[in-house]
Amino acid sequence: MRFSSFTLAAALAVVSVSTSLSGQRPDDQIDARSLQLLAEGRALRAAGNLDGATDVLETAVTVDPRNRAAFVLLGELATQRDLPGKAIRLYREALLLEPNDRSALEGQGEALVKKGAVTRAKENLAKLRTLCKGECSEVTTLAAAIAKGPPVTTAAVESKAAVAKP
């Protein structure tokens, strides 16, 4: 009698945990609607409609927040629009889902260089070198971006020109 209430509580706990686990989708199954929207976003980007592609891809991420490819493509679009801060955030979302995503590491590294965070970009390069175990296109591209360095800002160019005039 003493153990019957304990046994009943344990049985209920096991049933509730197993029921909740069986209702969840595995991480590798992305909603088909989200994948359809990803395909539409790629087509719109290829057609040159960046605004439409961004809207469709943001919808894809809303439908299924585990759609890493949509985050990477959104990061590429942000980079294409010269929005490195937004690109860094979007690549970070993709890396939270898969920390070893080479294209997300490369894209984030390039965006970090554009923002002037070369040290953090070098960390991404080191991780890419570890993942590739040799040369791969991501390592070559990011290494070239780091070697080129951050872009010169307009204010810096104007101040140098003002100093050179006298």
Side-chain angles (χ1 to χ4, degrees):
M1 220 6 131
R2 256 188 210 167
F3 296 108
S4 62
S5 60
F6 177 73
T7 306
L8 181 61
L12 282 173
V14 168
V15 168
S16 65
V17 168
S18 66
T19 304
S20 67
L21 291 177
S22 66
Q24 294 178 353
R25 289 182 294 165
D27 287 342
D28 60 348
Q29 285 185 344
I30 296 175
D31 192 318
R33 295 173 298 171
S34 183
L35 293 174
Q36 172 66 31
L37 291 166
L38 174 64
E40 285 180 39
R42 284 185 174 137
L44 287 169
R45 179 186 181 198
N49 185 354
L50 300 183
D51 290 332
T54 300
D55 291 343
V56 168
L57 290 169
E58 286 175 350
T59 305
V61 169
T62 302
V63 168
D64 193 344
R66 294 171 299 149
N67 192 342
R68 181 177 36 127
F71 280 117
V72 171
L73 194 53
L74 278 168
E76 291 172 3
L77 286 169
T79 300
Q80 204 171 355
R81 291 180 160 188
D82 201 28
L83 300 169
K86 184 174 182 177
I88 291 167
R89 182 185 59 80
L90 290 164
Y91 287 124
R92 183 179 58 234
E93 292 292 331
L95 290 169
L96 287 173
L97 295 169
E98 174 55 52
N100 295 331
D101 186 335
R102 294 188 330 205
S103 61
L105 283 167
E106 174 199 357
Q108 186 184 49
E110 289 178 8
L112 286 166
V113 169
K114 285 184 181 179
K115 286 291 277 187
V118 178
T119 305
R120 287 188 52 207
K122 287 180 181 179
E123 292 172 8
N124 280 21
L125 180 62
K127 188 167 184 177
L128 273 172
R129 284 189 172 137
T130 303
L131 291 173
C132 288
K133 294 184 176 43
E135 284 300 313
C136 60
S137 63
E138 292 90 355
V139 169
T140 307
T141 306
L142 182 54
I146 291 171
K148 183 179 175 185
V152 178
T153 61
T154 308
V157 172
E158 289 175 3
S159 66
K160 287 180 184 176
V163 171
K165 282 185 182 178

